[in-house]
Amino acid sequence: MPELPEVETTVRGLEPALLGQRLVRVDVRRADLRRAIPVDLRQRMTGARITSLGRRAKYGIIGTDRGDSLIFHLGMSGRWRLDAGKPGAHDHLVVETEAGRVLALNDPRRFGSLDLVETEQLIHWPPFAALGPEPLGDVLSGPYLKAVFAGRVAPVKALLLDQRVVAGLGNIYVCEALNMAGIAPGRQAGRISGKRLDLLATAIRAVLTAAIEAGGSTIRDYTQPDGQFGYFAKQWRVYGREGLPCPRADGTVIRTVDAGRSTFWCKTCQS
């Protein structure tokens, strides 16, 4: 947490306050998060006009008219606060626009990150260069999954969480999509038929789209920039529903642990 839908929701929430605005104040309130914050971030961002907002995988991207892009990752507990007022103890970056809006990046556990990259070099930035296609883009399809899974004996869930295979998928939404498609998380990826992979690609898109429309999923810290919670947790099919009925069949949701991650699924309908 937060995963792709939460980052997409965050970017959309920031856009009305930031797009087209010049930053009149940039206050970097600590030297590092998960890694060091660029020492010249304040200098390069103060006075810059925001020209674009976007997302790549689980990263948010804020472009400026100076040819730089501010890249943020929310880590495990990060969120942006809109009209933040007086900075709090965990507000590590505070910016003010020429319209007087104050935004703060809040991250109590400090697993997030802030980077500043030349916009023209974004595609070559190492964390981006290694990423697979976006799950909501044109590339993700049954045939694509068939090609990247060919000959692979690894579990399908593990490969979907591999950011080199599909960018931005996280534990919650992979569990949800696999249930919707009726595929067991531990099934060898290379042995899944093309027809079932068509269903999986469709399920991934459907789950992510519904999650974005609901504002993401709030578990602990995450909120949208306006302070609203993400309500997709109310629509979870299997995640966090151990012992409850499966929505697909006359079965019960179980929880297993793989590589330290909880997996929620139904043995009755997922094979």
Side-chain angles (χ1 to χ4, degrees):
M1 278 292 293
E3 299 183 14
L4 184 154
E6 289 75 44
V7 179
E8 180 68 28
T9 301
T10 294
V11 168
R12 295 182 184 186
L14 293 175
E15 186 169 305
L18 283 180
L19 189 60
Q21 287 290 309
R22 192 172 299 282
L23 301 184
V24 297
R25 178 169 64 94
V26 177
D27 184 11
V28 181
R29 306 186 71 233
R30 64 174 298 113
D32 61 357
L33 293 174
R34 182 174 61 194
R35 56 178 174 266
I37 296 172
V39 295
D40 57 350
L41 190 150
R42 178 186 288 107
Q43 177 184 356
R44 289 166 66 182
M45 292 295 292
T46 302
R49 188 173 298 280
I50 306 304
T51 56
S52 64
L53 288 98
R55 178 194 54 76
R56 180 70 168 113
K58 300 177 188 179
Y59 294 88
I61 308 170
I62 302 174
T64 76
D65 62 351
R66 293 182 175 176
D68 294 324
S69 286
L70 177 66
I71 305 171
F72 66 86
H73 193 289
L74 298 176
M76 297 180 67
S77 62
R79 62 191 178 98
W80 279 91
R81 298 198 304 122
L82 184 59
D83 297 325
K86 183 179 179 179
H90 302 298
D91 289 340
H92 306 308
L93 173 68
V94 179
V95 301
E96 183 177 354
T97 71
E98 58 189 339
R101 307 294 295 272
V102 178
L103 299 90
L105 178 61
N106 182 280
D107 187 357
R109 301 175 74 178
R110 301 200 302 273
F111 282 107
S113 62
L114 284 166
D115 294 279
L116 201 54
V117 178
E118 292 182 13
T119 303
E120 291 184 353
Q121 297 301 314
L122 279 176
I123 193 172
H124 304 297
W125 188 51
F128 284 1
L131 291 173
E134 287 287 324
L136 294 175
D138 296 332
V139 175
L140 182 67
S141 64
Y144 169 77
L145 293 176
K146 187 72 173 177
V148 295
F149 289 170
R152 305 293 294 271
V153 298
V156 60
K157 184 192 174 193
L159 289 184
L160 290 176
L161 290 174
D162 185 337
Q163 301 298 290
R164 298 167 296 180
V165 174
V166 183
L169 293 183
N171 195 39
I172 294 173
Y173 301 107
V174 168
C175 287
E176 294 291 290
L178 286 171
N179 176 260
M180 184 179 288
I183 298 173
R187 187 174 180 84
Q188 290 186 14
R191 293 189 174 184
I192 304 174
S193 70
K195 181 177 292 188
R196 299 188 78 191
L197 291 177
D198 288 338
L199 293 175
L200 179 56
T202 299
I204 290 170
R205 292 176 182 275
V207 166
L208 292 177
T209 299
I212 292 169
E213 289 176 353
S217 299
T218 293
I219 298 179
R220 288 182 296 271
D221 303 287
Y222 168 75
T223 61
Q224 301 176 55
D226 62 2
Q228 293 290 313
F229 294 119
Y231 292 102
F232 188 67
K234 295 182 177 181
Q235 301 178 41
W236 284 347
R237 303 168 60 86
V238 290
Y239 191 85
R241 293 176 55 83
E242 181 182 8
L244 296 177
C246 171
R248 295 189 78 252
D250 186 20
T252 301
V253 176
I254 64 172
R255 172 182 174 267
T256 56
V257 178
D258 307 295
R261 285 192 174 103
S262 293
T263 299
F264 296 90
W265 63 294
C266 173
K267 284 186 176 181
T268 302
C269 70
Q270 292 178 248
S271 62

